[in-house]
Amino acid sequence: MRFLHCSDVHITEDYFALPLHKLGWRRWVALVELTAGGRAKAYRHAQHTLSAIAREGQAPGVDHFILSGDLTAYALEGEFRAARAALGPLVQQPSRCTVIPGNHDVFTPGAHQSGRFAQHFGHLLESDLPEYRREGAFPFVRLVGEGAAVVGLCSARPLPTPGLSYGTVGPAQLEGLAALLTDPRLDGRAILVVVHHAPRNASDHADGWHHGLRDADALLKLLPGPRFAVLHGHIHQRYHHPATQDRPHLFGAGSSTQAGREGYWLIDVEGGVVVGGTKHSPVL
């Protein structure tokens, strides 16, 4: 079985064509990152690139498409609409597509409180084992074929100020994950856990306190060995830390639509075990 994993596509509106008074102060601060920081230029073609990746996700031999958060630049309604359009027919196929929110998708309290992500992608949060949900839709489970399951977690929460971008899965979701891992319906299946924030950075260390996954160790402890993989984004670097006896595979998808760094993982499962992955670039 084969899974396509991408992340951090950051579909970006033309912010200077929008009424500034409607953006809110958090996005005013973000305008510095968009302009001086170069983010707007880096993601100018993000929608086109995501469309190309989504087409490759529908190719023969790809069993499931996974996007581990940050569909948007700063959680504007138009950005969500454009991300959904870019995914094309995949977005109508929950059996073939898993999408979770990232911190940029809950960038403002308003976006979070209105459930803006769920308005566009909530149908992809349905679970084949709904009895294990503990916090809204999470964790959800998607059974893929006979040999794998995808588990979606949410680590993205509104934070008090721009500049902070850490995440937390939380005890409720971790308890639900621990419970579902004992379900006999998952016996013999590889388990691919999708979360936005990185349990480890590219150097295989814990990420910074202001940016990392606060309960990474508690998550990894539940997932020992090559039967398991954690697929994440957030850190805009593409890397793989192979599984050990005590820890799962870790696949960081990088920023899949960033100009000059476009790409994604194809992750292979055989015999109920994650056997590895290969980096690919989309045909643009």
Side-chain angles (χ1 to χ4, degrees):
M1 304 183 70
R2 176 162 281 185
F3 296 79
L4 189 156
H5 173 214
C6 63
S7 197
D8 292 67
V9 297
H10 292 298
I11 305 297
T12 306
E13 284 255 33
D14 180 358
Y15 277 65
F16 292 100
L18 301 170
L20 287 179
H21 69 277
K22 292 186 177 180
L23 294 180
W25 71 270
R26 293 170 189 266
R27 295 193 186 94
W28 295 347
V29 174
L31 288 177
V32 177
E33 185 178 36
L34 281 171
T35 54
R39 184 178 287 270
K41 181 178 180 181
Y43 294 98
R44 183 178 301 159
H45 303 297
Q47 187 173 358
H48 172 72
T49 304
L50 179 57
S51 294
I53 295 172
R55 287 194 298 271
E56 293 172 27
Q58 298 174 79
V62 177
D63 296 282
H64 201 81
F65 175 96
I66 296 170
L67 202 170
S68 55
D70 278 3
L71 287 83
T72 67
Y74 298 111
L76 283 173
E77 175 69 25
E79 293 171 343
F80 282 109
R81 287 198 303 266
R84 177 162 177 154
L87 289 172
L90 266 178
V91 83
Q92 301 297 337
Q93 303 175 61
S95 64
R96 292 204 62 194
C97 182
T98 293
V99 178
I100 64 165
N103 60 296
H104 279 257
D105 303 320
V106 294
F107 189 73
T108 66
H112 175 68
Q113 292 164 7
S114 65
R116 196 166 293 160
F117 175 88
Q119 290 171 23
H120 295 275
F121 298 100
H123 63 293
L124 297 178
L125 307 180
E126 293 300 319
S127 181
D128 293 329
L129 304 178
E131 61 269 36
Y132 296 110
R133 288 174 168 172
R134 297 294 186 271
E135 185 180 349
F138 302 96
F140 65 84
V141 182
R142 186 84 17 82
L143 303 177
V144 183
E146 298 296 325
V150 176
V151 177
L153 301 175
C154 183
S155 61
R157 305 170 188 278
L159 296 174
T161 180
L164 296 176
S165 56
Y166 60 83
T168 308
V169 175
Q173 289 184 58
L174 290 172
E175 184 276 322
L177 175 61
L180 71 87
L181 292 175
T182 68
D183 193 302
R185 288 170 288 185
L186 297 184
D187 288 351
R189 294 177 181 265
I191 311 296
L192 283 70
V193 175
V194 187
V195 66
H196 179 64
H197 290 78
R200 296 289 184 267
N201 63 20
S203 300
D204 205 7
H205 297 117
D207 198 6
W209 71 270
H210 66 292
H211 193 261
L213 182 63
R214 293 285 177 89
D215 43 8
D217 289 344
L219 173 63
L220 297 180
K221 186 177 179 180
L222 296 174
L223 306 168
R227 179 188 174 204
F228 303 101
V230 174
L231 282 52
H232 67 84
H234 196 51
I235 295 177
H236 290 185
Q237 298 178 55
R238 197 165 295 114
Y239 54 91
H240 171 215
H241 299 312
T244 67
Q245 183 177 355
D246 301 318
R247 196 180 75 177
H249 292 275
L250 302 178
F251 288 95
S255 183
S256 294
T257 62
Q258 185 176 358
R261 302 177 70 180
E262 300 92 343
Y264 56 85
W265 282 105
L266 288 178
I267 299 170
D268 293 314
V269 169
E270 295 178 8
V273 173
V274 178
V275 295
T278 54
K279 297 177 184 178
H280 286 257
S281 297
V283 178
L284 301 174

